[in-house]
Structures are given as structure tokens and as C-alpha cells.
Amino acid sequence: MGESEDYIIDIIGKQLNGTATASELQQLEAWLNAAPSQRREEYEAYKQIWDESGRSPFPGTDAFDTRAAWERIDRQMKVPKVQSSVTPALEPAPKKQITRWLLVAAAILVLGVGSFWLYKSINGDRTLTAETDNLVVSLSDGSVVTLRKGAVLSYPVKFRQGQRSVQLNGQAFFDIQKDARSTFSVQTATSTIKVLGTSFFVSIASDTVNVTVISGKIRLEDRENVESYVELSADQSVGLASHRFVKDSIRNTNYLAWKTGVLDFDNEPLDEVVKDLNSYYGDSVSLAPELVPVASTIKVTLHFNKESLSRVLEEIKLTTGLNSKEEENRTVFFHK
Amino acid sequence: MTADELYQRFRLVFENYYSALCQYSLSITGQKEVSEDIVQEVFLKVWETKKDLIPREEVRFYLFASVRNNSMGYQSKLRRVSIVPFESKEHTQTAQEDTMEYESEQKAFREKLVEGIQSLPPKCKDVFLLSRMGKMSYQEIADHCGISVKTVENQIGKALKLLRAFVLAVKLLFPLFFF
């Protein structure tokens, strides 16, 4: 491992931070290419430090009890009177009860300034729609669901003992609290996903359900024939369409980009890259016709973290030598 | 934004940043309880006098900046040197029975990383934490610390370089984790 000149490490910092200029990126590329195997490894080490130290919660931060602190601060806040659309009877209720209601309501967390939430109360069930942005929902058992924009989740405000069940339409990432006594299940129109404690990603499009398991183990059942099921463990993915299970392979972690903001391409064919970009940024990129047949031979190795599309395109162009033009609100790649 | 939405938004900000802010303050003050007090005080101040900040992206900047100022204020009062350990999981009573094997390597890496961050020179640590924990832009860090963007770039580079030394130490222990 050779000592790198400091300016290159500064540039790596800027590249990871997403603020490197085009000429700096070229310097970095040249530096990497001068001794690829060893320098790639050095770069990866920096990247891992960068990614890990930016994790939330920060490594080791469990030592602080956010929940207890919130309860303490909540008591000290002068809570404003709230007009409640769910239970109007609460207004004249004692103060204690209002605070408790607010705590329950506040368990619905809203991410992003543009997003908003709506709910209705049916026998203590709540339906949430991620209208304009991703939506993070904390369930009463401590499980956390991240809904992708457009997804709809119905769940009980408080799970009954031994019964943890929610309904989903759209795409969502589940991080389920372990509870050996109580299975957690996700109902979709055509299937039931059963888990103990795990994290997984569900995608529902018309009558097709796709489930990807990140950790732990799940069981995916056909709703009309519960005898028909598959069990999945970490890093496995399966689809269910028309009562048939289809095994999927996991190419990369970009299917979670909508949640993490991270797009990772490791020697990825350009046509797959374009798919991932269109999934994350909305349909906005395509390939010129003459490029389509050769796209799978053009490989991209790049890492992006909450990057703007223009910046991403810029870096792809730099590393592939392709050019781009604007056509009908889309960016089209073509050979120079 | 209605009062209720504001309240929920505030709670979201609190849940997202409380822990990181405490850790950040702890890296300056060296005292867990003091850090928690400082952070809670800052949050209360936002709620009482700066509600307009809550829905805005700048709230993050304000929080880290205030916690930094108050922590440093506390520190200078005590005239202590800022060499301060991060609270590590091992020292807490709530050490979880998180014995899943595949996690242990990553855990070792993180512990090493935290140790590494702790040992960075003060200015370097400050800049690095504001960037990674505070998610501040280089410009924001520069404005806040009264240094140039160029200096921020250098300090981040320096941090990466120093931290890699720690990574290499774990790598010898767990070579498989990296490939």
C-alpha cells in the first residue's frame, strides 16, 4: 500500500461528498488507472469509511436513549391544543389524555417537506398513503416501514397481543422487530408474507408481488392457496404472479435507492444502469438506437449518494466516453 | 403547516438527530449527561423560539451549530482538553445480546472506526463529524467554523487518511469482510 499524495485523498473526499469538479474527477480516474488493483482497493477503503461514518444512527450511538429523552422533552414542551379529526371527543378530555393521543399521532413520521399524510380511523386501523414523497411509518411493535412514494399501508394503531398484520399496496421496505411469540404478516391482494424478525423489501405491481430479503427469513404464501409457499433467506428474491413463484436474482442493492439515495454500479452493463436510473429518477434517460445492441458491453463502475441526475450523467459520460443530448425531456446517450 | 404537523415534524427531527447530536457533543464535552442536557436544551429552544426553522432543511445546520457552540462553551468553562472517548456499546448496561455472527465483523470494523474518529486531531474531528454526522456541506462547515472551503477539503482528506490506518488494522483481523 503506497502512500498517496494528499491532494488525491482530498479529491476522493470531494468525490464521495459529491462536490468534485469534472477536472478533479479526471485526475482521480487517471490516478486510479495508473495502478488499478492497488489504488482501487485504497479508494474502496476510503469509501467504506465514508459510508460507515455517515450511517444513521452513527456507529455506537445506541448509548443514547432517544425515546426516553423525547418523553422528557415532550413534557417540557408547551404542547399546543390540536384540532383532532380522528376523535373530536378528545378536546374536552383531561390534559394527560391529549398528550397521549399526540404521542400516538406523532408515531406517524413524515419525511420530506413535500410529503403529507392522511389517515382514517376504522376500528383502530389506519391507512396511510405516501402521497408526494417516501414515508417512514413506525408501528406499535417497534417495526419500521418505509413506503415508497405512491404506496399505501393499512395497519392497526396498536397491534393486539400475538397479532401483527398489515396490508400493503405499492413498494415498501420493512424492518421488523423480533418477537418470537408473534409472527408479523404483510397481506397483499394475492399473497401473504410471514416473518419473525427481519428486514425485507416488497414491490407490488398489478398482480405481481416481488419480495427481497435483506436479513432474516420470510415465508411468501399464495393467498388463495396457503399450501403453496416459498421460504426465503437473506439476499434472496422471489416473485409471485398468477399463482406461480419466480425466482429472482439480486443484481445489486439499487432497488433500495429510493430509500437510501445510494446508487452503486460495480462493473454494471450500461443498459442495466439506465434501468436503475429510470427507476430512481423517474423515466428520464434512454439510449440512442445504435447504442442499444452494444449497451450490455459498456460497463460502469460508479457510486452515487443522493446525487443530482445531471451530476450522475456527467460522471457516466466521463467514465464511458459517451456523449448525451436532450430530446423530449429525456437525456439520450450516444457515441461521440 | 398546522400545529399538529409542526409537532410531528419536530418529533421526527428529534428522533433523527438526537443520538447523533449527543454523540457529537460528547466528543467535545466528554460527559454523557452534560451532552444530553445540552442537546435537549437546544431542542427546547428551537421549539420555544425558532418554530419557523422546524420544517426547513436549515434546522439540521442550526442544531449542530448550536450544540457545537454550547458544548464548546461548556468545555472552555471547564478548561479541559478535548480528548474524549465516544461512548462505546461495551460500556453501557444495555449491551444487547446481539450475537448474530455475521454482524460481528462489521461491528469490529465500526468499533475500530469510532476509535479512529475519537483519536483524530480536534479540528480534523470537528470537520469530519460535521460532515458525516451533521450532513453539512463543505460550505456550511466552512461558514460555521470560520475556515475556508479549501481547509475543509484538506481536513476531510486528512481524516480519511488517518482513519484508513485503523481500517487496515481490522482488515488484518477480518480479511473476508472486505471482499
Side-chain angles (χ1 to χ4, degrees), chain A residues 1-4 6 9-10 12-14 16-17 19 24 41-42 45-74 76-83 99 101-113 115-117 119 136 138 178 214-216 305-306, chain B residues 1 3-5 7-12 14-16 18-20 22-23 26 32-33 35-37 39-41 43-44 47-48 51 55-57 86-89 92 94 96 98 100 102 106 109-111 113-114 117 128-129 131-133 135-138 150 153-161 163-165 167-168 171 177-179:
Chain A
M1 70 203 116
E3 275 299 300
S4 300
D6 288 349
I9 308 181
D10 294 356
I12 290 174
K14 290 179 76 177
L16 292 167
N17 190 53
T19 49
E24 285 170 335
E41 195 180 315
E42 181 174 348
Y46 293 131
K47 179 169 151 343
Q48 190 176 16
I49 290 165
W50 182 267
D51 291 345
E52 281 295 327
S53 57
R55 279 166 59 95
S56 175
F58 193 80
T61 50
D62 298 19
F64 291 98
D65 189 342
T66 302
R67 189 172 295 224
W70 172 256
E71 274 162 23
R72 191 171 148 198
I73 212 164
D74 193 40
Q76 292 179 61
M77 282 161 53
K78 294 181 195 88
V79 179
K81 289 254 164 90
V82 176
Q83 293 289 331
T99 318
W101 178 80
L102 277 171
L103 279 176
V104 174
I108 302 158
L109 304 179
V110 184
L111 272 188
V113 186
S115 63
F116 64 94
W117 49 279
Y119 58 80
V136 178
S138 298
K178 268 205 184 94
I214 288 88
S215 68
N305 191 354
K306 296 187 179 117
Chain B
M1 197 173 256
D4 187 31
E5 283 166 342
Y7 175 89
Q8 295 190 39
R9 182 86 201 168
F10 182 68
R11 180 166 184 185
L12 176 68
F14 186 90
E15 296 192 337
N16 277 346
Y18 179 74
S19 197
C22 286
Q23 205 75 75
L26 179 65
K32 199 176 167 205
E33 276 172 26
S35 305
E36 292 210 67
D37 286 346
V39 174
Q40 288 177 20
E41 216 170 276
F43 269 105
L44 274 176
W47 181 253
E48 278 157 12
K51 280 204 179 71
R56 293 178 17 212
E57 187 55 15
F86 273 85
E87 198 69 19
S88 135
K89 262 190 183 172
T92 61
T94 54
Q96 293 208 349
D98 221 349
M100 302 195 107
Y102 70 94
Q106 199 140 2
F109 174 81
R110 281 185 203 138
E111 270 162 22
L113 180 61
V114 167
I117 293 172
F128 188 73
L129 288 181
S131 166
R132 304 310 298 130
M133 274 185 178
K135 306 272 184 267
M136 283 193 196
S137 70
Y138 282 12
K150 188 79 209 153
E153 290 169 6
N154 296 152
Q155 293 296 337
I156 296 277
K158 188 172 164 186
L160 285 173
K161 188 177 169 181
L163 290 173
R164 183 164 157 256
V167 177
L168 287 172
K171 197 168 176 174
F177 176 51
F178 294 86
F179 298 101

Side-chain angles (χ1 to χ4, degrees), chain A residues 4 36 56 58-59 78 92 123 129 163 189 203 209 286 288 305 329 336:
Chain A
S4 300
S56 175
F58 193 80
K78 294 181 195 88
N123 304 329
T129 306
Q163 289 180 10
S203 169
V209 179
S286 49
N305 191 354
N329 291 331
K336 266 180 198 167

Side-chain angles (χ1 to χ4, degrees), chain A residues 144-164:
Chain A
V144 178
V145 185
T146 308
L147 299 175
R148 188 172 189 177
K149 191 174 142 188
V152 184
L153 182 77
S154 299
Y155 63 98
V157 175
K158 195 166 189 328
F159 288 120
R160 290 221 196 108
Q161 196 83 48
Q163 289 180 10
R164 299 192 293 166

Side-chain angles (χ1 to χ4, degrees), chain B residues 85-152:
Chain B
F86 273 85
E87 198 69 19
S88 135
K89 262 190 183 172
E90 299 158 332
H91 305 312
T92 61
Q93 293 158 330
T94 54
Q96 293 208 349
E97 290 302 311
D98 221 349
T99 48
M100 302 195 107
E101 277 170 43
Y102 70 94
E103 281 183 358
S104 69
E105 292 151 22
Q106 199 140 2
K107 224 176 225 170
F109 174 81
R110 281 185 203 138
E111 270 162 22
K112 209 74 194 168
L113 180 61
V114 167
E115 206 181 312
I117 293 172
Q118 164 198 331
S119 70
L120 291 174
K123 189 173 172 188
C124 187
K125 178 163 80 175
D126 195 26
V127 168
F128 188 73
L129 288 181
L130 286 175
S131 166
R132 304 310 298 130
M133 274 185 178
K135 306 272 184 267
M136 283 193 196
S137 70
Y138 282 12
Q139 187 63 55
E140 283 174 333
I141 297 170
D143 291 347
H144 186 71
C145 301
I147 54 180
S148 69
V149 171
K150 188 79 209 153
T151 307
V152 175

